[in-house]
Coordinates of all heavy atoms in Angstrom, one line a residue:
S1 N 95.6 98.7 89.1 CA 94.1 98.6 89.0 C 93.6 99.3 87.7 O 94.1 100.4 87.4 CB 93.5 99.4 90.2 OG 93.8 98.7 91.4
N2 N 92.7 98.7 87.1 CA 92.1 99.3 86.0 C 90.8 100.1 86.4 O 90.4 100.0 87.5 CB 91.8 98.3 84.9 CG 90.8 97.2 85.3 OD1 89.8 97.5 85.9 ND2 91.1 96.0 85.0
K3 N 90.3 100.8 85.5 CA 89.1 101.7 85.8 C 87.9 100.8 86.3 O 87.2 101.2 87.2 CB 88.7 102.5 84.6 CG 87.5 103.5 84.9 CD 87.1 104.3 83.7 CE 86.0 105.2 84.0 NZ 85.0 104.9 85.0
C4 N 87.7 99.7 85.7 CA 86.6 98.8 86.1 C 86.8 98.4 87.6 O 85.8 98.3 88.4 CB 86.4 97.6 85.2 SG 85.8 98.0 83.6
E5 N 88.0 98.0 87.9 CA 88.3 97.6 89.3 C 88.0 98.7 90.3 O 87.5 98.5 91.3 CB 89.7 97.1 89.5 CG 90.0 95.7 89.0 CD 91.4 95.2 89.3 OE1 92.2 96.1 89.7 OE2 91.7 94.1 88.9
I6 N 88.5 99.9 89.9 CA 88.4 101.1 90.8 C 86.9 101.4 91.0 O 86.4 101.6 92.1 CB 89.1 102.3 90.2 CG1 90.6 102.0 90.3 CG2 88.8 103.6 90.9 CD1 91.5 103.0 89.5
D7 N 86.1 101.3 89.9 CA 84.7 101.6 90.0 C 84.0 100.5 90.9 O 83.1 100.8 91.7 CB 84.0 101.5 88.6 CG 84.4 102.8 87.8 OD1 84.9 103.8 88.3 OD2 84.1 102.7 86.5
A8 N 84.4 99.2 90.7 CA 83.8 98.2 91.6 C 84.2 98.4 93.0 O 83.3 98.3 93.9 CB 84.3 96.8 91.1
I9 N 85.4 98.8 93.3 CA 85.9 99.0 94.7 C 85.1 100.2 95.3 O 84.6 100.1 96.4 CB 87.4 99.3 94.7 CG1 88.1 98.0 94.4 CG2 87.8 99.8 96.1 CD1 89.6 98.2 94.2
K10 N 84.9 101.3 94.5 CA 84.2 102.4 95.0 C 82.7 102.0 95.3 O 82.2 102.5 96.3 CB 84.2 103.5 94.0 CG 85.5 104.3 93.9 CD 85.5 105.4 92.9 CE 86.8 106.1 92.7 NZ 86.8 107.1 91.7
H11 N 82.1 101.2 94.4 CA 80.7 100.8 94.7 C 80.6 100.0 95.9 O 79.7 100.2 96.8 CB 80.2 100.0 93.4 CG 78.9 99.5 93.6 ND1 77.7 100.3 93.6 CD2 78.4 98.2 93.9 CE1 76.7 99.6 93.8 NE2 77.1 98.3 94.0
L12 N 81.5 99.0 96.1 CA 81.5 98.2 97.3 C 81.7 99.0 98.6 O 81.0 98.8 99.6 CB 82.5 97.0 97.2 CG 82.2 96.0 96.1 CD1 83.4 95.1 95.9 CD2 81.0 95.1 96.6
L13 N 82.6 99.9 98.5 CA 82.9 100.8 99.7 C 81.6 101.6 100.0 O 81.3 101.8 101.2 CB 84.1 101.7 99.4 CG 85.5 101.0 99.4 CD1 86.5 102.0 98.9 CD2 85.8 100.4 100.7
S14 N 81.0 102.1 99.0 CA 79.8 102.9 99.2 C 78.6 102.1 99.8 O 77.7 102.6 100.5 CB 79.3 103.5 97.9 OG 78.6 102.6 97.1
K15 N 78.7 100.8 99.7 CA 77.7 99.9 100.3 C 78.1 99.4 101.6 O 77.4 98.5 102.2 CB 77.4 98.7 99.3 CG 76.9 99.0 98.0 CD 75.5 99.6 98.1 CE 74.9 99.9 96.7 NZ 73.6 100.5 96.9
G16 N 79.2 99.9 102.1 CA 79.7 99.5 103.5 C 80.6 98.3 103.6 O 80.9 97.9 104.7
Y17 N 81.1 97.8 102.5 CA 82.0 96.7 102.5 C 83.4 97.2 102.8 O 83.8 98.3 102.5 CB 82.1 96.0 101.1 CG 80.8 95.2 100.8 CD1 79.7 95.7 100.2 CD2 80.8 93.8 101.2 CE1 78.6 95.0 99.9 CE2 79.7 93.1 100.9 CZ 78.6 93.6 100.3 OH 77.5 92.9 100.0
V18 N 84.2 96.4 103.4 CA 85.7 96.6 103.5 C 86.3 95.8 102.4 O 86.0 94.6 102.2 CB 86.2 96.1 104.9 CG1 87.7 96.2 104.9 CG2 85.5 96.8 106.0
V19 N 87.1 96.4 101.6 CA 87.7 95.8 100.4 C 89.2 95.6 100.6 O 89.9 96.6 100.9 CB 87.4 96.7 99.1 CG1 88.0 96.0 97.9 CG2 85.9 96.9 98.9
Y20 N 89.6 94.4 100.3 CA 91.1 94.1 100.4 C 91.5 93.7 99.0 O 91.0 92.7 98.4 CB 91.3 92.9 101.3 CG 90.9 93.2 102.8 CD1 89.7 92.7 103.3 CD2 91.8 93.8 103.6 CE1 89.4 93.0 104.6 CE2 91.5 94.1 104.9 CZ 90.2 93.7 105.4 OH 89.9 93.9 106.7
K21 N 92.4 94.5 98.5 CA 93.0 94.1 97.2 C 94.4 93.5 97.3 O 94.8 92.7 96.5 CB 93.1 95.4 96.3 CG 93.6 95.1 94.9 CD 93.3 96.2 94.0 CE 94.0 96.1 92.7 NZ 93.8 94.9 91.9
R22 N 95.1 94.0 98.3 CA 96.5 93.4 98.6 C 96.5 92.7 99.9 O 95.7 92.9 100.7 CB 97.5 94.6 98.6 CG 97.6 95.3 97.3 CD 98.6 96.4 97.3 NE 98.7 97.0 98.6 CZ 99.3 98.2 98.9 NH1 100.0 98.8 97.9 NH2 99.3 98.7 100.1
G23 N 97.6 91.9 100.1 CA 97.7 91.2 101.3 C 97.2 89.8 101.4 O 97.2 89.1 102.4
W24 N 96.7 89.3 100.3 CA 96.1 88.0 100.2 C 97.1 86.9 100.4 O 98.3 87.1 99.9 CB 95.3 87.8 98.9 CG 94.0 88.5 98.9 CD1 93.8 89.7 98.5 CD2 92.8 88.0 99.5 NE1 92.5 90.1 98.7 CE2 91.9 89.1 99.4 CE3 92.4 86.9 100.2 CZ2 90.6 88.9 99.8 CZ3 91.1 86.8 100.6 CH2 90.2 87.8 100.5
P25 N 96.8 85.8 101.0 CA 97.8 84.7 101.0 C 98.2 84.3 99.6 O 97.5 84.4 98.6 CB 97.0 83.5 101.7 CG 95.9 84.3 102.5 CD 95.6 85.5 101.7
D26 N 99.4 83.7 99.6 CA 100.0 83.3 98.3 C 99.3 82.2 97.6 O 99.2 82.2 96.3 CB 101.5 82.8 98.5 CG 102.4 83.9 99.0 OD1 102.3 85.0 98.5 OD2 103.1 83.6 100.0
L27 N 98.7 81.3 98.3 CA 98.1 80.1 97.7 C 96.6 79.9 98.2 O 96.4 80.1 99.4 CB 98.9 78.9 98.0 CG 100.4 78.9 97.7 CD1 101.0 77.6 98.2 CD2 100.5 79.0 96.2
L28 N 95.8 79.5 97.3 CA 94.5 79.0 97.6 C 94.5 77.6 97.2 O 94.6 77.3 96.0 CB 93.4 79.8 96.9 CG 92.0 79.2 97.0 CD1 91.5 79.1 98.4 CD2 91.0 80.0 96.1
A29 N 94.4 76.6 98.1 CA 94.5 75.2 97.7 C 93.1 74.6 98.0 O 92.5 74.8 99.1 CB 95.6 74.5 98.6
I30 N 92.6 73.8 97.1 CA 91.3 73.2 97.2 C 91.4 71.7 96.9 O 92.0 71.3 95.9 CB 90.3 73.8 96.2 CG1 90.1 75.3 96.4 CG2 88.9 73.1 96.3 CD1 89.3 76.0 95.4
K31 N 90.9 70.9 97.8 CA 90.9 69.5 97.7 C 89.5 69.0 98.1 O 89.2 69.0 99.3 CB 92.0 68.8 98.5 CG 92.0 67.3 98.4 CD 93.2 66.8 99.2 CE 93.3 65.3 99.1 NZ 94.4 64.8 99.9
G32 N 88.7 68.6 97.2 CA 87.3 68.2 97.5 C 86.6 69.4 98.1 O 86.5 70.5 97.4
K33 N 86.1 69.3 99.3 CA 85.4 70.4 99.9 C 86.3 71.2 100.9 O 85.8 72.0 101.7 CB 84.1 70.0 100.6 CG 83.1 69.5 99.7 CD 81.8 69.1 100.4 CE 80.8 68.7 99.3 NZ 79.5 68.5 99.9
K34 N 87.6 70.8 100.9 CA 88.5 71.4 101.8 C 89.2 72.6 101.1 O 89.7 72.4 100.0 CB 89.5 70.4 102.3 CG 90.4 70.9 103.4 CD 91.3 69.7 104.0 CE 92.0 70.1 105.2 NZ 92.7 69.0 105.8
V35 N 89.3 73.7 101.8 CA 89.9 74.9 101.2 C 91.0 75.4 102.2 O 90.7 75.5 103.4 CB 88.9 76.0 101.0 CG1 89.6 77.3 100.5 CG2 87.8 75.6 100.0
R36 N 92.2 75.7 101.7 CA 93.3 76.2 102.5 C 93.8 77.5 101.9 O 94.1 77.5 100.7 CB 94.4 75.2 102.7 CG 93.8 73.8 103.2 CD 94.9 72.9 103.3 NE 95.6 73.1 104.6 CZ 95.8 72.1 105.5 NH1 95.4 70.9 105.3 NH2 96.4 72.4 106.6
F37 N 94.0 78.5 102.7 CA 94.7 79.7 102.3 C 96.1 79.6 103.0 O 96.2 79.4 104.2 CB 94.0 81.0 102.9 CG 92.8 81.3 102.1 CD1 91.5 80.8 102.5 CD2 92.8 82.1 101.0 CE1 90.4 81.1 101.8 CE2 91.7 82.5 100.3 CZ 90.5 82.0 100.7
V38 N 97.2 79.7 102.1 CA 98.5 79.5 102.6 C 99.4 80.7 102.2 O 99.5 81.1 101.1 CB 99.1 78.2 102.0 CG1 100.5 77.9 102.6 CG2 98.2 77.0 102.3
E39 N 100.1 81.2 103.2 CA 101.1 82.2 103.0 C 102.5 81.5 103.1 O 102.7 80.8 104.1 CB 101.0 83.3 104.1 CG 102.1 84.4 103.9 CD 102.0 85.1 102.6 OE1 100.9 85.4 102.1 OE2 103.1 85.5 102.1
V40 N 103.3 81.7 102.1 CA 104.6 81.0 102.0 C 105.7 82.1 102.3 O 105.7 83.1 101.7 CB 104.8 80.3 100.7 CG1 106.2 79.7 100.6 CG2 103.7 79.3 100.4
K41 N 106.5 81.7 103.3 CA 107.6 82.6 103.6 C 109.0 81.9 103.4 O 109.1 80.7 103.6 CB 107.5 83.1 105.1 CG 106.3 84.0 105.4 CD 106.5 85.3 104.6 CE 105.4 86.2 104.9 NZ 105.4 87.4 104.1
E42 N 110.0 82.7 103.0 CA 111.3 82.0 102.7 C 111.9 81.4 104.0 O 112.6 80.4 103.9 CB 112.2 83.1 102.1 CG 111.9 83.4 100.7 CD 112.9 84.3 100.0 OE1 114.1 84.3 100.5 OE2 112.5 85.0 99.1
T43 N 111.7 82.1 105.1 CA 112.3 81.6 106.4 C 111.2 81.7 107.5 O 110.2 82.5 107.3 CB 113.5 82.4 106.9 OG1 113.1 83.7 107.3 CG2 114.5 82.5 105.8
D44 N 111.4 81.0 108.5 CA 110.4 81.1 109.6 C 110.6 82.4 110.4 O 109.8 82.7 111.3 CB 110.4 79.9 110.6 CG 111.8 79.7 111.3 OD1 112.7 80.5 111.1 OD2 111.9 78.8 112.1
H45 N 111.6 83.2 110.0 CA 111.8 84.5 110.7 C 111.1 85.6 109.9 O 111.2 86.8 110.3 CB 113.3 84.8 110.8 CG 114.0 83.8 111.7 ND1 113.7 83.6 113.0 CD2 114.9 82.8 111.4 CE1 114.5 82.6 113.5 NE2 115.2 82.1 112.5
S46 N 110.6 85.3 108.7 CA 109.9 86.3 107.9 C 108.6 86.6 108.5 O 107.9 85.7 109.0 CB 109.7 85.7 106.5 OG 110.9 85.4 105.8
H47 N 108.3 87.9 108.5 CA 107.0 88.3 109.2 C 106.0 88.7 108.1 O 106.3 89.1 107.0 CB 107.3 89.6 110.0 CG 108.3 89.3 111.1 ND1 107.9 88.6 112.3 CD2 109.6 89.6 111.3 CE1 109.0 88.6 113.1 NE2 110.0 89.1 112.5
L48 N 104.7 88.5 108.5 CA 103.6 89.0 107.7 C 103.6 90.5 107.7 O 103.8 91.1 108.7 CB 102.3 88.4 108.2 CG 102.1 86.9 108.2 CD1 100.7 86.6 108.8 CD2 102.3 86.3 106.9
S49 N 103.3 91.0 106.5 CA 103.2 92.5 106.4 C 101.9 92.9 107.1 O 101.0 92.1 107.4 CB 103.1 92.9 104.9 OG 101.9 92.5 104.3
L50 N 101.8 94.2 107.3 CA 100.5 94.7 107.9 C 99.3 94.3 107.1 O 98.3 93.9 107.7 CB 100.6 96.3 108.1 CG 99.4 96.9 108.6 CD1 99.0 96.4 110.0 CD2 99.5 98.4 108.6
R51 N 99.4 94.5 105.8 CA 98.2 94.1 105.0 C 97.9 92.6 105.1 O 96.8 92.2 105.1 CB 98.5 94.4 103.5 CG 98.5 95.9 103.2 CD 97.2 96.3 102.6 NE 97.4 97.6 102.1 CZ 96.4 98.5 102.1 NH1 95.3 98.2 102.7 NH2 96.6 99.7 101.7
Q52 N 99.0 91.8 105.1 CA 98.7 90.3 105.3 C 98.1 90.0 106.6 O 97.2 89.1 106.7 CB 100.1 89.6 105.1 CG 100.6 89.6 103.7 CD 102.0 89.0 103.6 OE1 102.8 89.2 104.5 NE2 102.3 88.3 102.5
R53 N 98.5 90.7 107.7 CA 97.9 90.4 109.0 C 96.4 90.9 109.0 O 95.6 90.2 109.6 CB 98.7 91.2 110.1 CG 100.1 90.5 110.3 CD 100.7 91.0 111.6 NE 100.8 92.5 111.7 CZ 101.8 93.3 111.2 NH1 102.8 92.7 110.6 NH2 101.8 94.6 111.4
E54 N 96.1 92.0 108.3 CA 94.8 92.5 108.2 C 93.9 91.5 107.5 O 92.8 91.2 108.0 CB 94.7 93.9 107.5 CG 95.3 95.0 108.3 CD 95.4 96.3 107.6 OE1 95.2 96.3 106.3 OE2 95.7 97.3 108.2
V55 N 94.3 91.0 106.4 CA 93.6 90.1 105.6 C 93.4 88.8 106.4 O 92.3 88.2 106.5 CB 94.2 89.8 104.2 CG1 93.5 88.6 103.5 CG2 94.1 91.0 103.4
A56 N 94.5 88.3 107.0 CA 94.4 87.0 107.8 C 93.4 87.2 108.9 O 92.6 86.3 109.2 CB 95.7 86.6 108.3
S57 N 93.4 88.3 109.6 CA 92.5 88.6 110.7 C 91.1 88.6 110.2 O 90.2 88.1 110.8 CB 92.9 89.9 111.4 OG 92.0 90.2 112.4
A58 N 90.8 89.3 109.1 CA 89.5 89.4 108.5 C 88.9 88.0 108.1 O 87.8 87.7 108.4 CB 89.5 90.3 107.3
L59 N 89.8 87.2 107.5 CA 89.4 85.9 107.1 C 89.1 85.0 108.4 O 88.1 84.2 108.4 CB 90.4 85.2 106.3 CG 90.6 85.8 104.9 CD1 91.8 85.2 104.2 CD2 89.3 85.5 104.0
E60 N 89.9 85.1 109.4 CA 89.7 84.3 110.6 C 88.5 84.7 111.3 O 87.8 83.8 112.0 CB 91.0 84.4 111.5 CG 92.1 83.6 110.8 CD 93.4 83.5 111.7 OE1 93.4 84.2 112.7 OE2 94.3 82.8 111.2
K61 N 88.0 85.9 111.2 CA 86.7 86.3 111.8 C 85.6 85.6 111.1 O 84.5 85.5 111.7 CB 86.6 87.8 111.7 CG 87.5 88.6 112.7 CD 87.3 90.1 112.5 CE 88.3 90.8 113.5 NZ 88.3 92.2 113.2
L62 N 85.8 85.1 109.9 CA 84.8 84.3 109.2 C 85.1 82.8 109.3 O 84.5 82.0 108.5 CB 84.8 84.7 107.7 CG 84.6 86.2 107.4 CD1 84.8 86.5 106.0 CD2 83.1 86.5 107.8
D63 N 85.9 82.5 110.3 CA 86.3 81.1 110.5 C 87.0 80.4 109.3 O 86.9 79.3 109.0 CB 85.1 80.2 110.9 CG 84.5 80.5 112.3 OD1 85.3 80.9 113.1 OD2 83.3 80.4 112.4
I64 N 87.8 81.3 108.6 CA 88.6 80.8 107.5 C 90.1 80.9 108.0 O 90.6 82.0 108.3 CB 88.4 81.6 106.2 CG1 87.0 81.5 105.8 CG2 89.4 81.2 105.2 CD1 86.6 82.5 104.7
K65 N 90.7 79.8 108.1 CA 92.1 79.8 108.7 C 93.1 80.1 107.6 O 93.0 79.6 106.5 CB 92.4 78.4 109.2 CG 93.7 78.2 109.9 CD 93.9 76.9 110.6 CE 93.7 75.7 109.8 NZ 94.1 74.5 110.4
V66 N 94.1 80.9 107.9 CA 95.2 81.3 107.0 C 96.4 80.6 107.7 O 96.7 80.7 108.8 CB 95.4 82.8 106.9 CG1 96.7 83.1 106.1 CG2 94.2 83.4 106.3
E67 N 97.1 79.8 106.8 CA 98.3 79.1 107.3 C 99.6 79.6 106.7 O 99.5 80.2 105.7 CB 98.1 77.6 106.9 CG 96.9 77.0 107.5 CD 96.5 75.7 106.9 OE1 96.0 75.7 105.8 OE2 96.7 74.7 107.6
V68 N 100.6 79.5 107.5 CA 102.0 80.0 107.0 C 102.9 78.8 107.0 O 103.0 78.0 107.9 CB 102.5 81.0 108.0 CG1 103.9 81.6 107.6 CG2 101.5 82.2 108.2
W69 N 103.7 78.7 105.9 CA 104.6 77.7 105.7 C 106.0 78.3 105.3 O 106.0 79.2 104.5 CB 104.2 76.7 104.6 CG 105.2 75.5 104.5 CD1 105.3 74.4 105.3 CD2 106.3 75.5 103.6 NE1 106.3 73.7 104.9 CE2 107.0 74.3 103.8 CE3 106.7 76.3 102.6 CZ2 108.1 73.9 103.1 CZ3 107.8 75.9 101.8 CH2 108.5 74.7 102.1
S70 N 107.0 77.7 105.8 CA 108.4 78.0 105.5 C 109.2 76.8 105.3 O 109.0 75.8 106.1 CB 109.0 78.9 106.6 OG 110.4 79.0 106.5
P71 N 110.3 76.8 104.4 CA 111.2 75.6 104.4 C 111.9 75.4 105.7 O 112.4 74.3 106.0 CB 112.2 76.0 103.3 CG 111.6 77.1 102.5 CD 110.6 77.8 103.4
D72 N 112.0 76.4 106.5 CA 112.6 76.3 107.8 C 111.8 75.4 108.8 O 112.3 75.1 109.9 CB 112.8 77.6 108.5 CG 113.9 78.4 107.8 OD1 114.7 77.9 107.0 OD2 114.1 79.6 108.1
D73 N 110.6 75.0 108.4 CA 109.8 74.2 109.3 C 110.3 72.7 109.4 O 109.6 71.9 110.0 CB 108.4 74.2 108.8 CG 107.7 75.5 109.0 OD1 108.1 76.3 109.9 OD2 106.8 75.9 108.3
G74 N 111.5 72.5 109.0 CA 112.1 71.2 109.2 C 112.2 70.4 107.9 O 112.2 70.9 106.8
D75 N 112.2 69.1 108.0 CA 112.2 68.2 106.9 C 110.9 68.0 106.2 O 110.7 67.1 105.3 CB 112.8 66.8 107.3 CG 114.2 66.8 107.7 OD1 114.9 67.7 107.2 OD2 114.6 66.0 108.5
T76 N 110.0 68.8 106.5 CA 108.6 68.7 105.9 C 108.7 69.3 104.4 O 109.5 70.0 104.1 CB 107.6 69.5 106.7 OG1 108.0 70.8 106.8 CG2 107.5 68.9 108.1
R77 N 107.7 68.9 103.7 CA 107.5 69.4 102.3 C 106.2 70.1 102.2 O 105.2 69.7 102.9 CB 107.6 68.3 101.3 CG 108.9 67.5 101.4 CD 110.1 68.4 100.8 NE 111.3 67.7 100.8 CZ 112.3 67.9 101.7 NH1 112.1 68.7 102.7 NH2 113.4 67.2 101.6
P78 N 106.1 71.1 101.3 CA 104.8 71.8 101.1 C 103.6 70.9 100.8 O 102.5 71.2 101.2 CB 105.1 72.8 100.0 CG 106.5 72.9 99.9 CD 107.1 71.6 100.4
W79 N 103.8 69.8 100.2 CA 102.7 69.0 99.8 C 102.3 68.1 100.9 O 101.3 67.4 100.8 CB 103.0 68.1 98.5 CG 104.3 67.4 98.7 CD1 104.5 66.2 99.3 CD2 105.6 67.8 98.3 NE1 105.8 65.8 99.2 CE2 106.5 66.8 98.6 CE3 106.1 69.0 97.6 CZ2 107.9 66.9 98.3 CZ3 107.4 69.1 97.4 CH2 108.3 68.1 97.7
D80 N 103.0 68.1 102.0 CA 102.6 67.3 103.2 C 101.7 68.2 104.1 O 102.2 68.9 105.0 CB 103.8 66.9 104.0 CG 103.5 66.1 105.3 OD1 102.3 65.7 105.4 OD2 104.4 65.8 106.0
W81 N 100.4 68.2 103.8 CA 99.5 69.2 104.4 C 99.5 69.3 105.9 O 99.1 70.2 106.5 CB 98.1 69.0 103.8 CG 98.0 69.4 102.4 CD1 97.9 68.6 101.3 CD2 98.0 70.7 101.9 NE1 97.8 69.3 100.2 CE2 97.9 70.6 100.5 CE3 98.1 72.0 102.4 CZ2 97.9 71.7 99.6 CZ3 98.1 73.1 101.6 CH2 98.0 72.9 100.2
D82 N 99.9 68.2 106.5 CA 99.8 68.2 108.0 C 100.8 69.1 108.7 O 100.8 69.3 109.9 CB 100.0 66.7 108.5 CG 98.9 65.8 108.1 OD1 97.8 66.4 107.9 OD2 99.1 64.6 108.0
I83 N 101.8 69.7 107.9 CA 102.8 70.5 108.6 C 102.5 72.0 108.5 O 103.3 72.8 109.0 CB 104.2 70.2 107.9 CG1 104.2 70.5 106.4 CG2 104.6 68.8 108.2 CD1 104.4 71.9 106.0
W84 N 101.4 72.4 107.9 CA 101.1 73.8 107.8 C 100.5 74.3 109.2 O 99.7 73.7 109.8 CB 100.0 74.0 106.7 CG 100.5 73.5 105.4 CD1 100.6 72.3 105.0 CD2 101.1 74.3 104.4 NE1 101.1 72.2 103.7 CE2 101.5 73.4 103.3 CE3 101.4 75.7 104.2 CZ2 102.0 73.9 102.2 CZ3 102.0 76.1 103.1 CH2 102.3 75.2 102.0
Y85 N 101.0 75.4 109.6 CA 100.6 76.0 110.8 C 99.8 77.2 110.7 O 100.0 78.1 109.9 CB 101.9 76.4 111.6 CG 102.8 75.2 111.8 CD1 103.9 75.0 111.0 CD2 102.5 74.3 112.8 CE1 104.7 73.9 111.2 CE2 103.3 73.1 113.0 CZ 104.4 73.0 112.2 OH 105.2 71.9 112.4
P86 N 98.7 77.3 111.5 CA 97.8 78.5 111.4 C 98.5 79.8 111.8 O 99.4 79.8 112.7 CB 96.7 78.2 112.3 CG 97.1 77.0 113.2 CD 98.3 76.4 112.5
Y87 N 98.1 80.8 111.1 CA 98.6 82.2 111.5 C 98.0 82.5 112.9 O 96.9 82.3 113.1 CB 98.1 83.2 110.4 CG 98.1 84.6 110.9 CD1 99.3 85.3 111.1 CD2 96.9 85.2 111.2 CE1 99.3 86.6 111.5 CE2 96.9 86.5 111.6 CZ 98.1 87.2 111.8 OH 98.1 88.5 112.2
R88 N 98.8 83.0 113.7 CA 98.4 83.4 115.1 C 98.5 84.9 115.1 O 99.6 85.4 115.4 CB 99.2 82.8 116.1 CG 99.2 81.3 116.1 CD 98.1 80.7 116.9 NE 98.2 79.2 116.9 CZ 97.3 78.4 116.6 NH1 96.1 78.9 116.2 NH2 97.4 77.1 116.6
G89 N 97.4 85.7 114.9 CA 97.5 87.1 114.9 C 97.5 87.8 116.2 O 97.3 87.4 117.2

């Protein structure tokens, strides 16, 4: 973090905001008006970190779905959007 980021975080915290700097999903995908937040894991046995779960939970409270994808999900490919599964916190 640089000094400007730290100052901005302090200001937002002083105004009552919860600030998340780490734990964001790996990908933000936009197609037209559709937005997807995607966390990519190497295996389907990989777990979300505590920070990742906190961010996913905060986003879902705003009706923003976070999805998790792994190559272990079968013969599917990342660009086949129908195979992404929502995070279940």
